[in-house]
Amino acid sequence: VTDLLSAIRRSAVHGRASYVYEQPSDELGTVIGAFNQMQSRLAAEAEQKRQSLERLQQIYEATPGLMFSLSEQGHITRVSGHWLETMGYSRDEVLGKSLSDFLHVPPGEPIKHIAPLLGKTITQLPLALETRERRVIEVQLSAAAQVGSSAEYLCVMNDVTGLNAASRKLRMQAVTDHLT
C-alpha cells in the first residue's frame, strides 16, 4: 500500500507516470497491476498529445502567412516566423504588445483598436502595418476564437499591398485622359 501511495504522489507531483514495481499476488497486486496499466495508458496519451502539439507548432511556424494569436485584450500571445520575418521584429519585441503598436496610422486618423472587435468573427478587416524599417504593408485581417478558448483568437493577415497598388493604378488610368 505504501508503494502504491508513493507512486500516486510522485505521479501527481511530477506530472508523469510513476509505477509500482513490486506487485504482490493478492487483491492489492491486482489493484497495483491496474494502476500500472492506467499509468502506461496515460503516459502514451500524454506523448501523443505532446507530439500533436509539436506538429501544430511546426505548422504554425511554417505557414507562409502572417499568423498570430491575440488575447481578448488585443495583446499578441503567439506569432509565426513568417510574421516576424515580414515585419522585421524579434519574437521578444512582439509578444505581449498590442497589435495597435504595429499599425500605421496617418496623422489625424484615430488608432484602430482590435480588442473591441474580438468576441465575434472578423473577416477581411483592412489595416495598414508598419514594419521595423517603416515600410507600410496593407493587410486584411481575419480572426476567430481559437478552438477550446474563448479568451484567445487566431488571426491571419493577407498582404494586399501589391493588389491595392495595382487597383489604384488602374483606377487612375481609367479616369485620366490619355491625351494629357
Side-chain angles (χ1 to χ4, degrees), residues 135-157:
R135 187 170 53 92
V136 176
I137 300 173
E138 297 173 55
V139 298
Q140 289 184 338
L141 171 73
S142 295
Q146 289 189 182
V147 176
S149 172
S150 60
E152 198 164 64
Y153 300 86
L154 178 61
C155 305
V156 178
M157 291 187 293

mmCIF file with all atom_site columns, all heavy atoms in Angstrom, residues 135-157:
data_model
loop_
_atom_site.group_PDB
_atom_site.id
_atom_site.type_symbol
_atom_site.label_atom_id
_atom_site.label_alt_id
_atom_site.label_comp_id
_atom_site.label_asym_id
_atom_site.label_entity_id
_atom_site.label_seq_id
_atom_site.pdbx_PDB_ins_code
_atom_site.Cartn_x
_atom_site.Cartn_y
_atom_site.Cartn_z
_atom_site.occupancy
_atom_site.B_iso_or_equiv
_atom_site.pdbx_formal_charge
_atom_site.auth_seq_id
_atom_site.auth_comp_id
_atom_site.auth_asym_id
_atom_site.auth_atom_id
_atom_site.pdbx_PDB_model_num
ATOM 1   N N   . ARG A 1 135 ? 8.347   50.559 -43.473 1.00 0.00 ? 135 ARG A N   1
ATOM 2   C CA  . ARG A 1 135 ? 7.630   50.254 -44.707 1.00 0.00 ? 135 ARG A CA  1
ATOM 3   C C   . ARG A 1 135 ? 6.189   49.931 -44.332 1.00 0.00 ? 135 ARG A C   1
ATOM 4   O O   . ARG A 1 135 ? 5.933   49.241 -43.349 1.00 0.00 ? 135 ARG A O   1
ATOM 5   C CB  . ARG A 1 135 ? 8.292   49.045 -45.393 1.00 0.00 ? 135 ARG A CB  1
ATOM 6   C CG  . ARG A 1 135 ? 7.767   48.726 -46.760 1.00 0.00 ? 135 ARG A CG  1
ATOM 7   C CD  . ARG A 1 135 ? 8.645   47.672 -47.445 1.00 0.00 ? 135 ARG A CD  1
ATOM 8   N NE  . ARG A 1 135 ? 8.842   46.479 -46.642 1.00 0.00 ? 135 ARG A NE  1
ATOM 9   C CZ  . ARG A 1 135 ? 8.076   45.388 -46.708 1.00 0.00 ? 135 ARG A CZ  1
ATOM 10  N NH1 . ARG A 1 135 ? 7.077   45.324 -47.541 1.00 0.00 ? 135 ARG A NH1 1
ATOM 11  N NH2 . ARG A 1 135 ? 8.339   44.347 -45.942 1.00 0.00 ? 135 ARG A NH2 1
ATOM 12  N N   . VAL A 1 136 ? 5.226   50.426 -45.119 1.00 0.00 ? 136 VAL A N   1
ATOM 13  C CA  . VAL A 1 136 ? 3.813   50.203 -44.831 1.00 0.00 ? 136 VAL A CA  1
ATOM 14  C C   . VAL A 1 136 ? 3.320   49.003 -45.633 1.00 0.00 ? 136 VAL A C   1
ATOM 15  O O   . VAL A 1 136 ? 3.555   48.906 -46.838 1.00 0.00 ? 136 VAL A O   1
ATOM 16  C CB  . VAL A 1 136 ? 2.969   51.455 -45.167 1.00 0.00 ? 136 VAL A CB  1
ATOM 17  C CG1 . VAL A 1 136 ? 1.486   51.178 -44.960 1.00 0.00 ? 136 VAL A CG1 1
ATOM 18  C CG2 . VAL A 1 136 ? 3.421   52.626 -44.299 1.00 0.00 ? 136 VAL A CG2 1
ATOM 19  N N   . ILE A 1 137 ? 2.663   48.094 -44.942 1.00 0.00 ? 137 ILE A N   1
ATOM 20  C CA  . ILE A 1 137 ? 2.078   46.906 -45.565 1.00 0.00 ? 137 ILE A CA  1
ATOM 21  C C   . ILE A 1 137 ? 0.573   46.976 -45.363 1.00 0.00 ? 137 ILE A C   1
ATOM 22  O O   . ILE A 1 137 ? 0.104   47.121 -44.233 1.00 0.00 ? 137 ILE A O   1
ATOM 23  C CB  . ILE A 1 137 ? 2.613   45.613 -44.908 1.00 0.00 ? 137 ILE A CB  1
ATOM 24  C CG1 . ILE A 1 137 ? 4.116   45.508 -45.048 1.00 0.00 ? 137 ILE A CG1 1
ATOM 25  C CG2 . ILE A 1 137 ? 1.938   44.395 -45.517 1.00 0.00 ? 137 ILE A CG2 1
ATOM 26  C CD1 . ILE A 1 137 ? 4.703   44.343 -44.276 1.00 0.00 ? 137 ILE A CD1 1
ATOM 27  N N   . GLU A 1 138 ? -0.166  46.894 -46.457 1.00 0.00 ? 138 GLU A N   1
ATOM 28  C CA  . GLU A 1 138 ? -1.622  46.872 -46.370 1.00 0.00 ? 138 GLU A CA  1
ATOM 29  C C   . GLU A 1 138 ? -2.060  45.415 -46.238 1.00 0.00 ? 138 GLU A C   1
ATOM 30  O O   . GLU A 1 138 ? -1.613  44.560 -47.007 1.00 0.00 ? 138 GLU A O   1
ATOM 31  C CB  . GLU A 1 138 ? -2.237  47.506 -47.619 1.00 0.00 ? 138 GLU A CB  1
ATOM 32  C CG  . GLU A 1 138 ? -1.876  48.974 -47.770 1.00 0.00 ? 138 GLU A CG  1
ATOM 33  C CD  . GLU A 1 138 ? -2.345  49.543 -49.087 1.00 0.00 ? 138 GLU A CD  1
ATOM 34  O OE1 . GLU A 1 138 ? -3.551  49.435 -49.387 1.00 0.00 ? 138 GLU A OE1 1
ATOM 35  O OE2 . GLU A 1 138 ? -1.485  50.088 -49.812 1.00 0.00 ? 138 GLU A OE2 1
ATOM 36  N N   . VAL A 1 139 ? -2.898  45.146 -45.264 1.00 0.00 ? 139 VAL A N   1
ATOM 37  C CA  . VAL A 1 139 ? -3.332  43.774 -44.995 1.00 0.00 ? 139 VAL A CA  1
ATOM 38  C C   . VAL A 1 139 ? -4.842  43.724 -44.794 1.00 0.00 ? 139 VAL A C   1
ATOM 39  O O   . VAL A 1 139 ? -5.489  44.745 -44.576 1.00 0.00 ? 139 VAL A O   1
ATOM 40  C CB  . VAL A 1 139 ? -2.634  43.188 -43.736 1.00 0.00 ? 139 VAL A CB  1
ATOM 41  C CG1 . VAL A 1 139 ? -1.132  43.114 -43.920 1.00 0.00 ? 139 VAL A CG1 1
ATOM 42  C CG2 . VAL A 1 139 ? -2.998  43.971 -42.492 1.00 0.00 ? 139 VAL A CG2 1
ATOM 43  N N   . GLN A 1 140 ? -5.346  42.517 -44.873 1.00 0.00 ? 140 GLN A N   1
ATOM 44  C CA  . GLN A 1 140 ? -6.719  42.236 -44.476 1.00 0.00 ? 140 GLN A CA  1
ATOM 45  C C   . GLN A 1 140 ? -6.641  41.216 -43.357 1.00 0.00 ? 140 GLN A C   1
ATOM 46  O O   . GLN A 1 140 ? -6.043  40.155 -43.514 1.00 0.00 ? 140 GLN A O   1
ATOM 47  C CB  . GLN A 1 140 ? -7.536  41.695 -45.642 1.00 0.00 ? 140 GLN A CB  1
ATOM 48  C CG  . GLN A 1 140 ? -7.830  42.761 -46.672 1.00 0.00 ? 140 GLN A CG  1
ATOM 49  C CD  . GLN A 1 140 ? -8.717  42.258 -47.787 1.00 0.00 ? 140 GLN A CD  1
ATOM 50  O OE1 . GLN A 1 140 ? -8.807  41.069 -48.050 1.00 0.00 ? 140 GLN A OE1 1
ATOM 51  N NE2 . GLN A 1 140 ? -9.394  43.179 -48.439 1.00 0.00 ? 140 GLN A NE2 1
ATOM 52  N N   . LEU A 1 141 ? -7.231  41.551 -42.220 1.00 0.00 ? 141 LEU A N   1
ATOM 53  C CA  . LEU A 1 141 ? -7.184  40.719 -41.028 1.00 0.00 ? 141 LEU A CA  1
ATOM 54  C C   . LEU A 1 141 ? -8.443  39.873 -40.918 1.00 0.00 ? 141 LEU A C   1
ATOM 55  O O   . LEU A 1 141 ? -9.547  40.382 -41.076 1.00 0.00 ? 141 LEU A O   1
ATOM 56  C CB  . LEU A 1 141 ? -7.065  41.600 -39.781 1.00 0.00 ? 141 LEU A CB  1
ATOM 57  C CG  . LEU A 1 141 ? -7.227  40.895 -38.427 1.00 0.00 ? 141 LEU A CG  1
ATOM 58  C CD1 . LEU A 1 141 ? -6.011  40.046 -38.113 1.00 0.00 ? 141 LEU A CD1 1
ATOM 59  C CD2 . LEU A 1 141 ? -7.457  41.913 -37.323 1.00 0.00 ? 141 LEU A CD2 1
ATOM 60  N N   . SER A 1 142 ? -8.254  38.597 -40.663 1.00 0.00 ? 142 SER A N   1
ATOM 61  C CA  . SER A 1 142 ? -9.358  37.704 -40.315 1.00 0.00 ? 142 SER A CA  1
ATOM 62  C C   . SER A 1 142 ? -9.005  37.094 -38.964 1.00 0.00 ? 142 SER A C   1
ATOM 63  O O   . SER A 1 142 ? -7.850  36.742 -38.718 1.00 0.00 ? 142 SER A O   1
ATOM 64  C CB  . SER A 1 142 ? -9.537  36.607 -41.369 1.00 0.00 ? 142 SER A CB  1
ATOM 65  O OG  . SER A 1 142 ? -9.931  37.184 -42.595 1.00 0.00 ? 142 SER A OG  1
ATOM 66  N N   . ALA A 1 143 ? -9.995  36.982 -38.080 1.00 0.00 ? 143 ALA A N   1
ATOM 67  C CA  . ALA A 1 143 ? -9.743  36.444 -36.740 1.00 0.00 ? 143 ALA A CA  1
ATOM 68  C C   . ALA A 1 143 ? -10.950 35.659 -36.259 1.00 0.00 ? 143 ALA A C   1
ATOM 69  O O   . ALA A 1 143 ? -12.087 36.006 -36.561 1.00 0.00 ? 143 ALA A O   1
ATOM 70  C CB  . ALA A 1 143 ? -9.440  37.579 -35.759 1.00 0.00 ? 143 ALA A CB  1
ATOM 71  N N   . ALA A 1 144 ? -10.676 34.606 -35.512 1.00 0.00 ? 144 ALA A N   1
ATOM 72  C CA  . ALA A 1 144 ? -11.733 33.784 -34.922 1.00 0.00 ? 144 ALA A CA  1
ATOM 73  C C   . ALA A 1 144 ? -11.214 33.237 -33.599 1.00 0.00 ? 144 ALA A C   1
ATOM 74  O O   . ALA A 1 144 ? -10.011 33.048 -33.423 1.00 0.00 ? 144 ALA A O   1
ATOM 75  C CB  . ALA A 1 144 ? -12.116 32.650 -35.849 1.00 0.00 ? 144 ALA A CB  1
ATOM 76  N N   . ALA A 1 145 ? -12.135 32.986 -32.686 1.00 0.00 ? 145 ALA A N   1
ATOM 77  C CA  . ALA A 1 145 ? -11.752 32.400 -31.403 1.00 0.00 ? 145 ALA A CA  1
ATOM 78  C C   . ALA A 1 145 ? -11.093 31.049 -31.648 1.00 0.00 ? 145 ALA A C   1
ATOM 79  O O   . ALA A 1 145 ? -11.543 30.275 -32.488 1.00 0.00 ? 145 ALA A O   1
ATOM 80  C CB  . ALA A 1 145 ? -12.978 32.236 -30.504 1.00 0.00 ? 145 ALA A CB  1
ATOM 81  N N   . GLN A 1 146 ? -10.009 30.802 -30.930 1.00 0.00 ? 146 GLN A N   1
ATOM 82  C CA  . GLN A 1 146 ? -9.322  29.520 -31.061 1.00 0.00 ? 146 GLN A CA  1
ATOM 83  C C   . GLN A 1 146 ? -10.188 28.425 -30.467 1.00 0.00 ? 146 GLN A C   1
ATOM 84  O O   . GLN A 1 146 ? -10.888 28.641 -29.475 1.00 0.00 ? 146 GLN A O   1
ATOM 85  C CB  . GLN A 1 146 ? -7.957  29.573 -30.369 1.00 0.00 ? 146 GLN A CB  1
ATOM 86  C CG  . GLN A 1 146 ? -6.988  30.430 -31.111 1.00 0.00 ? 146 GLN A CG  1
ATOM 87  C CD  . GLN A 1 146 ? -5.568  30.348 -30.588 1.00 0.00 ? 146 GLN A CD  1
ATOM 88  O OE1 . GLN A 1 146 ? -4.740  31.025 -31.105 1.00 0.00 ? 146 GLN A OE1 1
ATOM 89  N NE2 . GLN A 1 146 ? -5.257  29.545 -29.603 1.00 0.00 ? 146 GLN A NE2 1
ATOM 90  N N   . VAL A 1 147 ? -10.118 27.268 -31.062 1.00 0.00 ? 147 VAL A N   1
ATOM 91  C CA  . VAL A 1 147 ? -10.890 26.119 -30.577 1.00 0.00 ? 147 VAL A CA  1
ATOM 92  C C   . VAL A 1 147 ? -10.495 25.840 -29.132 1.00 0.00 ? 147 VAL A C   1
ATOM 93  O O   . VAL A 1 147 ? -9.318  25.762 -28.798 1.00 0.00 ? 147 VAL A O   1
ATOM 94  C CB  . VAL A 1 147 ? -10.631 24.879 -31.466 1.00 0.00 ? 147 VAL A CB  1
ATOM 95  C CG1 . VAL A 1 147 ? -11.346 23.667 -30.916 1.00 0.00 ? 147 VAL A CG1 1
ATOM 96  C CG2 . VAL A 1 147 ? -11.061 25.159 -32.894 1.00 0.00 ? 147 VAL A CG2 1
ATOM 97  N N   . GLY A 1 148 ? -11.494 25.726 -28.278 1.00 0.00 ? 148 GLY A N   1
ATOM 98  C CA  . GLY A 1 148 ? -11.247 25.415 -26.875 1.00 0.00 ? 148 GLY A CA  1
ATOM 99  C C   . GLY A 1 148 ? -10.877 26.620 -26.033 1.00 0.00 ? 148 GLY A C   1
ATOM 100 O O   . GLY A 1 148 ? -10.561 26.482 -24.868 1.00 0.00 ? 148 GLY A O   1
ATOM 101 N N   . SER A 1 149 ? -10.887 27.822 -26.629 1.00 0.00 ? 149 SER A N   1
ATOM 102 C CA  . SER A 1 149 ? -10.529 29.010 -25.865 1.00 0.00 ? 149 SER A CA  1
ATOM 103 C C   . SER A 1 149 ? -11.401 30.171 -26.295 1.00 0.00 ? 149 SER A C   1
ATOM 104 O O   . SER A 1 149 ? -11.439 30.526 -27.455 1.00 0.00 ? 149 SER A O   1
ATOM 105 C CB  . SER A 1 149 ? -9.059  29.377 -26.098 1.00 0.00 ? 149 SER A CB  1
ATOM 106 O OG  . SER A 1 149 ? -8.771  30.621 -25.506 1.00 0.00 ? 149 SER A OG  1
ATOM 107 N N   . SER A 1 150 ? -12.096 30.740 -25.338 1.00 0.00 ? 150 SER A N   1
ATOM 108 C CA  . SER A 1 150 ? -12.891 31.923 -25.668 1.00 0.00 ? 150 SER A CA  1
ATOM 109 C C   . SER A 1 150 ? -12.095 33.187 -25.361 1.00 0.00 ? 150 SER A C   1
ATOM 110 O O   . SER A 1 150 ? -12.570 34.290 -25.576 1.00 0.00 ? 150 SER A O   1
ATOM 111 C CB  . SER A 1 150 ? -14.190 31.915 -24.867 1.00 0.00 ? 150 SER A CB  1
ATOM 112 O OG  . SER A 1 150 ? -13.885 31.929 -23.486 1.00 0.00 ? 150 SER A OG  1
ATOM 113 N N   . ALA A 1 151 ? -10.870 33.025 -24.866 1.00 0.00 ? 151 ALA A N   1
ATOM 114 C CA  . ALA A 1 151 ? -10.071 34.179 -24.473 1.00 0.00 ? 151 ALA A CA  1
ATOM 115 C C   . ALA A 1 151 ? -8.882  34.408 -25.399 1.00 0.00 ? 151 ALA A C   1
ATOM 116 O O   . ALA A 1 151 ? -8.091  35.308 -25.174 1.00 0.00 ? 151 ALA A O   1
ATOM 117 C CB  . ALA A 1 151 ? -9.571  33.993 -23.048 1.00 0.00 ? 151 ALA A CB  1
ATOM 118 N N   . GLU A 1 152 ? -8.738  33.604 -26.447 1.00 0.00 ? 152 GLU A N   1
ATOM 119 C CA  . GLU A 1 152 ? -7.623  33.774 -27.365 1.00 0.00 ? 152 GLU A CA  1
ATOM 120 C C   . GLU A 1 152 ? -8.125  33.612 -28.788 1.00 0.00 ? 152 GLU A C   1
ATOM 121 O O   . GLU A 1 152 ? -8.977  32.776 -29.055 1.00 0.00 ? 152 GLU A O   1
ATOM 122 C CB  . GLU A 1 152 ? -6.510  32.774 -27.061 1.00 0.00 ? 152 GLU A CB  1
ATOM 123 C CG  . GLU A 1 152 ? -5.189  33.165 -27.679 1.00 0.00 ? 152 GLU A CG  1
ATOM 124 C CD  . GLU A 1 152 ? -4.010  32.424 -27.077 1.00 0.00 ? 152 GLU A CD  1
ATOM 125 O OE1 . GLU A 1 152 ? -3.947  31.202 -27.215 1.00 0.00 ? 152 GLU A OE1 1
ATOM 126 O OE2 . GLU A 1 152 ? -3.155  33.090 -26.488 1.00 0.00 ? 152 GLU A OE2 1
ATOM 127 N N   . TYR A 1 153 ? -7.596  34.428 -29.684 1.00 0.00 ? 153 TYR A N   1
ATOM 128 C CA  . TYR A 1 153 ? -8.074  34.473 -31.054 1.00 0.00 ? 153 TYR A CA  1
ATOM 129 C C   . TYR A 1 153 ? -6.937  34.197 -32.026 1.00 0.00 ? 153 TYR A C   1
ATOM 130 O O   . TYR A 1 153 ? -5.849  34.758 -31.889 1.00 0.00 ? 153 TYR A O   1
ATOM 131 C CB  . TYR A 1 153 ? -8.688  35.852 -31.339 1.00 0.00 ? 153 TYR A CB  1
ATOM 132 C CG  . TYR A 1 153 ? -9.847  36.108 -30.413 1.00 0.00 ? 153 TYR A CG  1
ATOM 133 C CD1 . TYR A 1 153 ? -9.645  36.646 -29.154 1.00 0.00 ? 153 TYR A CD1 1
ATOM 134 C CD2 . TYR A 1 153 ? -11.130 35.741 -30.778 1.00 0.00 ? 153 TYR A CD2 1
ATOM 135 C CE1 . TYR A 1 153 ? -10.699 36.837 -28.281 1.00 0.00 ? 153 TYR A CE1 1
ATOM 136 C CE2 . TYR A 1 153 ? -12.189 35.926 -29.907 1.00 0.00 ? 153 TYR A CE2 1
ATOM 137 C CZ  . TYR A 1 153 ? -11.969 36.470 -28.664 1.00 0.00 ? 153 TYR A CZ  1
ATOM 138 O OH  . TYR A 1 153 ? -13.014 36.641 -27.800 1.00 0.00 ? 153 TYR A OH  1
ATOM 139 N N   . LEU A 1 154 ? -7.200  33.326 -32.991 1.00 0.00 ? 154 LEU A N   1
ATOM 140 C CA  . LEU A 1 154 ? -6.251  33.029 -34.045 1.00 0.00 ? 154 LEU A CA  1
ATOM 141 C C   . LEU A 1 154 ? -6.489  34.029 -35.162 1.00 0.00 ? 154 LEU A C   1
ATOM 142 O O   . LEU A 1 154 ? -7.620  34.197 -35.626 1.00 0.00 ? 154 LEU A O   1
ATOM 143 C CB  . LEU A 1 154 ? -6.430  31.599 -34.561 1.00 0.00 ? 154 LEU A CB  1
ATOM 144 C CG  . LEU A 1 154 ? -5.503  31.195 -35.704 1.00 0.00 ? 154 LEU A CG  1
ATOM 145 C CD1 . LEU A 1 154 ? -4.046  31.277 -35.259 1.00 0.00 ? 154 LEU A CD1 1
ATOM 146 C CD2 . LEU A 1 154 ? -5.829  29.795 -36.170 1.00 0.00 ? 154 LEU A CD2 1
ATOM 147 N N   . CYS A 1 155 ? -5.440  34.708 -35.577 1.00 0.00 ? 155 CYS A N   1
ATOM 148 C CA  . CYS A 1 155 ? -5.552  35.763 -36.573 1.00 0.00 ? 155 CYS A CA  1
ATOM 149 C C   . CYS A 1 155 ? -4.636  35.466 -37.758 1.00 0.00 ? 155 CYS A C   1
ATOM 150 O O   . CYS A 1 155 ? -3.520  34.993 -37.576 1.00 0.00 ? 155 CYS A O   1
ATOM 151 C CB  . CYS A 1 155 ? -5.133  37.100 -35.971 1.00 0.00 ? 155 CYS A CB  1
ATOM 152 S SG  . CYS A 1 155 ? -6.049  37.536 -34.483 1.00 0.00 ? 155 CYS A SG  1
ATOM 153 N N   . VAL A 1 156 ? -5.131  35.780 -38.936 1.00 0.00 ? 156 VAL A N   1
ATOM 154 C CA  . VAL A 1 156 ? -4.351  35.633 -40.159 1.00 0.00 ? 156 VAL A CA  1
ATOM 155 C C   . VAL A 1 156 ? -4.512  36.928 -40.938 1.00 0.00 ? 156 VAL A C   1
ATOM 156 O O   . VAL A 1 156 ? -5.625  37.441 -41.088 1.00 0.00 ? 156 VAL A O   1
ATOM 157 C CB  . VAL A 1 156 ? -4.844  34.447 -41.017 1.00 0.00 ? 156 VAL A CB  1
ATOM 158 C CG1 . VAL A 1 156 ? -4.043  34.344 -42.304 1.00 0.00 ? 156 VAL A CG1 1
ATOM 159 C CG2 . VAL A 1 156 ? -4.763  33.155 -40.233 1.00 0.00 ? 156 VAL A CG2 1
ATOM 160 N N   . MET A 1 157 ? -3.396  37.450 -41.411 1.00 0.00 ? 157 MET A N   1
ATOM 161 C CA  . MET A 1 157 ? -3.448  38.649 -42.239 1.00 0.00 ? 157 MET A CA  1
ATOM 162 C C   . MET A 1 157 ? -2.919  38.308 -43.620 1.00 0.00 ? 157 MET A C   1
ATOM 163 O O   . MET A 1 157 ? -1.902  37.625 -43.757 1.00 0.00 ? 157 MET A O   1
ATOM 164 C CB  . MET A 1 157 ? -2.602  39.768 -41.623 1.00 0.00 ? 157 MET A CB  1
ATOM 165 C CG  . MET A 1 157 ? -3.190  40.307 -40.346 1.00 0.00 ? 157 MET A CG  1
ATOM 166 S SD  . MET A 1 157 ? -2.348  41.758 -39.680 1.00 0.00 ? 157 MET A SD  1
ATOM 167 C CE  . MET A 1 157 ? -0.771  41.091 -39.204 1.00 0.00 ? 157 MET A CE  1
#
